Amino acid sequence: IFTTDSTTLFIADQKDFIANLVNITTLTDSNGRNPTDTLTNANRLFDNDITTQTDLRLNGGGNNSWLEFDFRGGGTVALSRVDVIGLQNNNSGRINGTFVQGSNDRSTWTAISTSATNTSDWQTLSITDKTPYRYIRMTNPNAWWGNMTELRLYGVAATTNRIRTATRGPCPR
């Protein structure tokens, strides 16, 4: 099997793809945007369009900028891999060094993946720590400005939230 235009083809196993990520998490970014603007910016990662990108500038610069997914009280995710693609222009190298962090207290962060390399192609970040975390963050210590065009998280999202009580009311007719 080959492409008709001699480009590359990236095939991804969709097992454990977390398709509803923006619905089951609360998003924040290093820019300090309001929740609506953060969601608008982050939705570019899930629009299946590699010509749209995020911009996570931190105080005007790009070093150490991040995008955080909070799986909310009682929620966690144990990632198995992350697929990411960077800019499709002369700044494609900004993705180099991007990696995933996890935290359960939002103050102590653990690097849990390999780092992205300097390529404009899709790449898989291998997860090196399968611990379930409440908070997941995409970050990069380099001057990257959060420039990603698409992002796919794979793993198992879980919650311990349960209905505490239920009362029985009259049956509707």
Side-chain angles (χ1 to χ4, degrees):
I1 296 176
F2 56 90
T3 61
T4 58
D5 63 355
S6 299
T7 58
T8 59
L9 177 65
F10 184 84
I11 298 174
D13 179 357
Q14 297 298 297
K15 183 177 183 282
D16 295 331
F17 173 56
I18 304 171
N20 59 344
L21 191 60
V22 296
N23 297 322
I24 63 172
T25 62
T26 301
L27 295 117
T28 54
D29 70 20
S30 53
N31 186 294
R33 290 178 175 87
N34 66 57
T36 301
D37 290 345
T38 300
L39 182 60
T40 298
N41 191 36
N43 273 331
R44 295 176 184 138
L45 295 172
F46 311 106
D47 63 2
N48 295 312
D49 182 353
I50 61 171
T51 65
T52 63
Q53 76 231 16
T54 54
D55 189 328
L56 308 173
R57 291 171 201 262
L58 175 61
N59 300 322
N63 295 21
N64 296 309
S65 55
W66 47 264
L67 177 64
E68 179 183 287
F69 300 90
D70 175 359
F71 285 81
R72 303 179 184 141
T76 60
V77 65
L79 293 177
S80 55
R81 80 174 202 267
V82 171
D83 292 340
V84 65
I85 189 168
L87 298 177
Q88 300 298 296
N89 59 27
N90 59 346
N91 291 316
S92 62
R94 288 183 181 168
I95 196 77
N96 190 39
T98 301
F99 66 100
V100 184
Q101 292 178 316
S103 176
N104 282 315
D105 62 9
R106 208 176 196 183
S107 62
T108 304
W109 291 91
T110 302
I112 64 169
S113 78
T114 57
S115 296
T117 60
N118 185 356
T119 180
S120 61
D121 296 330
W122 276 100
Q123 54 189 306
T124 298
L125 307 182
S126 298
I127 300 301
T128 57
D129 178 349
K130 310 266 181 171
T131 303
Y133 288 102
R134 174 176 170 174
Y135 305 98
I136 295 294
R137 198 157 77 169
M138 297 298 300
T139 190
N140 190 326
N142 304 316
W144 79 310
W145 290 276
N147 298 137
M148 299 177 285
T149 63
E150 294 293 313
L151 176 67
R152 304 289 181 264
L153 271 60
Y154 298 86
V156 177
T159 184
T160 58
N161 290 336
R162 303 285 185 253
I163 297 173
R164 292 179 195 221
T165 62
T167 57
R168 183 176 175 178
C171 294
R173 293 187 184 243

